Amino acid sequence: MHGFRLTCLRIGYGLLVAALLFTALPLIASSHAAQDWPQFRGPARDGHAPAATELLIPWPETGPAERWRRPIGNAFSSIAAVGNALYTGDSDESGDYALRIDAETGKTVWRTRLGDLFENSFGNGPRATPTVDGDTVYITSGGGVLAALAAADGTVRWSIDLKETYQAEMPHFGYASSPLVDGDRLLVETGGETDTSAALTALNKKTGELIWRSAAAQPAYSAPIRLDLHGQAQYVLVTKDGVRGLDIADGGLLWQVEWAPEGGIKPPPPLVVGENRLFVSASYDIGAMLIEVTGPKSAKALWDSKVMRNHFNASVYHDGVIYGFDNATLKALAPDGGETHWAKRGRLGKGSLVYADEHLVVLTETGTLLLLEATASGYVEKGSSKAMSGRCWTAPTIADGKLYLRNREEMVSYDLQRAAPTTSAETTAALTAYADAIGGDVRQGIRALKITGTQNFNGIDTPLTIYHRRPNHMRIEIGLERGSGTIAQVTDGEAAWSQLIGSDDPRMMRRANRVLDDDAAARMIEEMAAFDDALLQAAQEAGPTAERVGSETLDGREMHHLAVTLPSGRVQHWFLDAETHRPVRRTTEQANRRGTYTGTWFYDDFRAIAPGVVVPFYVEREDSQHVRAHIIDRIEVNPSLDDALLS
């Protein structure tokens, strides 16, 4: 079948890179037991990482090592982590979803629709965090659909519309309460003031059948916790009118402390801050309160103050100190009396924080990541790096020494136990020169490309068309010999597939019309689908890392040699002309069914496609058996691309 070759072309900010689709990387399994974060605010719902977490302290100047970064749909759900699986929520125009993500690669394992899209001016999608219990994941959509999903494949085991089933009151900002599993029970804030509604509802976790409902109360966007105080097992919940202790047996009211009944937005759950003492805090000028549970059925407020006003995220408690965000001021408080040990303002916004290994891991509202000592003596910073951009209202997750962050558009993972590679001054200079030489800053405005030209393989020319759209959507169409059809290869950044167009040859259809396996798809996405090439990503500190190896002479020209390490661990070697700083050659170790080999790419005929932006119009790939050349005729910048081409 002459001419049938699955060949891909990649354009990263100006570099067209050909590579084979069938190459794959081996899977590497973790050799140590995971430390899980299975629910909202961690193992004990108190914002503490697992006890065995040991951090790299201090961070290097570049911050912790980035493992991977990926796009994600709109939502405010935080991330639950169990073993090698991450669970969170997202959304698109078709609805609210729960999804499972591979913790090692960031790739989606499954994505299950929960219900209609919840829309809000501050952000769409789910607010609640999934709760993982054994082989089941529990999550509530923004619109109030509570679902039990199979952890393995996302199959819906049962689901309930809380509004319809229990006359729950629809909160203006959506259902935000994260479910709590306690034995065979699943607890969820429902809320409402009718005769048939309840503040808290207990369900059979296996079937979703009702066990009991507590007395009615309007919801406050909070989540329940379970405590044993004075020999009394109870669920503690913040509602609009105050804080309630409920009997786990039947939901009966044990005690109640009134707290700002005029304020109905109190998302942070109660925080245990000593024996029989609870701290609650909320924004909108509500403030904070310290409650003492004085007996099995009694409690009282010890103080009520505006000293702390948690907005989206709760405080944490360690060694006699409360740490949290008083709106946009990070504070350390003494529980007795609420005295301030220290306060820090400036470019933090209404951030979030978690505790790990005697330190606070803080995410500011605009995406700066901080490592602080958990001490009452003052603000002591042990590391800082820019992790994300945009609105960052979701609290971090730490599991197995890895940090997981998300906002409404992307998700990123860092290794908190390994240093990020340091970048020397020579490396920084080379990366900066490269980015300038190809128009790195101007390229930020390029959202899509259409590339047309010719592929020459074994001396035969065939038509070539490439469609590319940020962040990592790509479609490559390569004509087959003698006009026998076209092979299209497509990726949406998560999966990759190929299809045969213009031919009904059954043998070719069987080989061409297929979805790539996970390994091959991951390689294609890493090698070819990212809109920015790996070297430019390294210059932008967006995942890959680079190191200047030295200078070499190729074909009589001096070259800068840079080694770029991809998130998967594969290494690309780039050779830049020392005078123009444009790429001349790249080599990368490849793998296929026959073993490993070195692929070499050559770049030439650079032309401008926009002011200051140059790309190679000739790219040649060589390995031990073949030479392929791509000769580009035309590149259209920011064309209108049909979504159907890229999905």
Side-chain angles (χ1 to χ4, degrees):
M1 199 170 333
H2 301 291
F4 180 70
R5 297 289 187 274
L6 293 183
T7 306
C8 279
L9 184 74
R10 160 178 200 276
I11 183 161
Y13 265 0
L15 297 183
L16 303 173
V17 183
L20 293 176
L21 282 178
F22 54 75
T23 55
L25 284 174
L27 294 175
I28 301 174
S30 174
S31 60
H32 55 277
Q35 298 293 321
D36 296 336
W37 184 287
Q39 61 178 330
F40 178 58
R41 305 203 71 223
R45 289 204 163 197
D46 59 0
H48 280 230
T53 301
E54 295 182 358
L55 303 181
L56 170 72
I57 303 169
W59 286 347
E61 185 176 342
T62 52
E66 183 174 316
R67 301 173 63 236
W68 48 258
R69 185 180 296 263
R70 54 156 291 167
I72 195 167
N74 207 331
F76 292 113
S77 300
S78 61
I79 300 157
V82 175
N84 195 42
L86 309 175
Y87 304 90
T88 190
D90 79 346
S91 68
D92 58 28
E93 62 279 358
S94 65
D96 281 10
Y97 288 82
L99 64 161
R100 172 175 170 170
I101 296 167
D102 185 276
E104 289 300 315
T105 65
K107 184 179 178 61
T108 299
V109 178
W110 53 254
R111 187 169 183 257
T112 298
R113 188 177 186 273
L114 300 172
D116 293 341
L117 172 65
F118 176 78
E119 297 184 86
N120 185 269
S121 59
F122 288 99
N124 301 334
R127 278 86 168 104
T129 299
T131 298
V132 186
D133 178 59
D135 63 355
T136 307
V137 180
Y138 302 94
I139 185 173
T140 307
S141 73
V145 176
L146 172 64
L149 311 176
D153 59 12
T155 301
V156 178
R157 290 178 169 161
W158 57 261
S159 68
I160 293 173
D161 187 318
L162 297 175
K163 302 189 304 300
E164 294 181 1
T165 306
Y166 297 117
Q167 292 74 53
E169 184 166 315
M170 180 67 187
H172 175 73
F173 295 109
Y175 281 86
S177 182
S178 300
L180 170 68
V181 173
D182 183 28
D184 291 333
R185 295 175 179 175
L186 181 71
L187 289 303
V188 64
E189 180 197 53
T190 43
E193 292 188 318
T194 68
D195 292 339
T196 54
S197 63
L200 190 70
T201 299
L203 305 173
N204 183 307
K205 71 178 184 181
K206 295 185 181 299
T207 64
E209 295 177 348
L210 178 67
I211 297 176
W212 53 251
R213 289 175 290 175
S214 69
Q218 287 183 295
Y221 305 96
S222 191
I225 62 172
R226 186 194 189 280
L227 299 174
D228 289 277
L229 303 174
H230 297 287
Q232 175 68 57
Q234 56 193 277
Y235 303 121
V236 182
L237 178 70
V238 176
T239 63
K240 180 181 178 181
D241 54 6
V243 185
R244 299 183 177 202
L246 304 174
D247 194 330
I248 70 167
D250 57 9
L253 183 66
L254 297 172
W255 56 264
Q256 180 172 352
V257 175
E258 183 179 280
W259 180 45
E262 72 285 355
I265 303 175
K266 304 168 184 172
L271 179 67
V272 177
V273 295
E275 187 175 1
N276 301 322
R277 291 187 174 186
L278 303 172
F279 173 81
V280 291
S281 179
S283 190
Y284 297 94
D285 209 34
I286 293 173
M289 176 183 284
L290 186 69
I291 297 170
E292 182 176 6
V293 180
T294 55
K297 295 186 178 182
S298 61
K300 65 180 181 180
L302 298 181
W303 56 260
D304 188 350
S305 168
K306 302 290 176 64
V307 68
M308 181 74 81
R309 291 159 296 174
N310 294 159
H311 199 159
F312 317 111
N313 295 296
S315 297
V316 298
Y317 175 77
H318 171 66
D319 198 19
V321 183
I322 298 169
Y323 302 93
F325 277 89
D326 175 26
N327 283 333
T329 300
L330 181 59
K331 288 184 176 181
L333 303 182
D336 293 333
E339 293 82 4
T340 300
H341 290 303
W342 55 260
K344 175 69 173 178
R345 283 189 62 85
R347 300 185 180 181
L348 299 176
K350 297 177 180 180
S352 57
L353 74 167
V354 295
Y355 169 86
D357 192 16
E358 303 296 327
H359 285 73
L360 306 174
V361 178
V362 179
L363 181 67
T364 73
E365 189 174 4
T366 55
T368 297
L369 193 62
L370 302 171
L371 181 67
L372 311 177
E373 281 190 16
T375 175
S377 61
Y379 179 91
V380 182
E381 194 172 294
K382 290 297 187 72
S384 174
S385 65
K386 183 66 173 176
M388 311 183 85
S389 59
R391 181 179 288 171
C392 300
W393 285 357
T394 300
T397 290
I398 297 176
D400 197 21
K402 309 301 188 296
L403 175 69
Y404 303 99
L405 308 174
R406 68 162 298 174
N407 56 22
R408 296 186 301 163
E409 298 173 348
E410 68 174 348
M411 182 172 169
V412 61
S413 173
Y414 291 93
D415 191 336
L416 294 182
Q417 298 174 317
R418 181 169 61 88
T422 58
T423 303
S424 67
E426 288 184 341
T427 300
T428 300
L431 290 173
T432 301
Y434 168 73
D436 290 344
I438 63 171
D441 291 340
V442 180
R443 294 168 193 270
Q444 297 300 320
I446 297 178
R447 314 307 300 175
L449 296 167
K450 180 182 179 182
I451 305 156
T452 53
T454 301
Q455 173 178 273
N456 183 281
F457 179 70
N458 289 342
I460 298 175
D461 290 338
T462 54
L464 173 71
T465 305
I466 302 168
Y467 305 92
H468 205 162
R469 185 169 66 194
R470 284 188 186 275
N472 46 18
H473 286 71
M474 191 176 191
R475 178 186 180 92
I476 308 157
E477 296 180 354
I478 302 174
L480 302 180
E481 293 178 17
R482 296 187 294 273
S484 55
T486 299
I487 289 289
Q489 294 129 28
V490 189
T491 177
D492 59 5
E494 295 186 359
W497 59 96
S498 65
Q499 61 187 102
L500 179 64
I501 302 170
S503 173
D504 56 4
D505 185 317
R507 292 183 302 165
M508 294 181 68
M509 292 179 68
R510 283 195 300 271
R511 295 184 62 182
N513 295 333
R514 65 191 182 97
V515 176
L516 275 66
D517 63 48
D518 289 347
D519 286 351
R523 172 63 66 86
M524 177 182 176
I525 294 163
E526 178 183 66
E527 180 69 35
M528 292 160 285
F531 201 88
D532 302 340
D533 65 68
L535 193 60
L536 187 58
Q537 289 183 57
Q540 298 167 337
E541 299 182 356
T545 59
E547 185 68 29
R548 187 177 185 274
V549 177
S551 296
E552 298 187 24
T553 301
L554 294 176
D555 300 328
R557 289 188 290 173
E558 184 181 355
M559 301 286 166
H560 296 303
H561 176 189
L562 289 94
V564 180
T565 302
L566 304 177
S568 67
R570 288 198 312 129
V571 178
Q572 298 177 348
H573 291 270
W574 292 75
F575 299 87
L576 309 181
D577 186 296
E579 186 174 329
T580 67
H581 304 291
R582 295 173 181 172
V584 176
R585 188 176 77 172
R586 175 172 73 85
T587 63
T588 306
E589 283 291 307
Q590 303 287 324
N592 60 23
R593 289 168 292 184
R594 295 184 294 274
T596 60
Y597 63 95
T598 299
T600 303
W601 288 257
F602 299 92
Y603 307 100
D604 201 359
D605 190 17
F606 284 84
R607 307 182 200 174
I609 61 171
V613 179
V614 297
V615 303
F617 273 58
Y618 180 86
V619 178
E620 183 178 289
R621 182 187 186 280
E622 177 184 287
D623 58 35
S624 59
Q625 296 182 2
H626 305 291
V627 176
R628 298 171 178 83
H630 291 141
I631 304 96
I632 307 306
D633 298 323
R634 184 185 182 194
I635 299 178
E636 298 175 47
V637 177
N638 291 330
S640 177
L641 300 182
D642 188 344
D643 288 343
L645 287 171
L646 300 167
S647 60

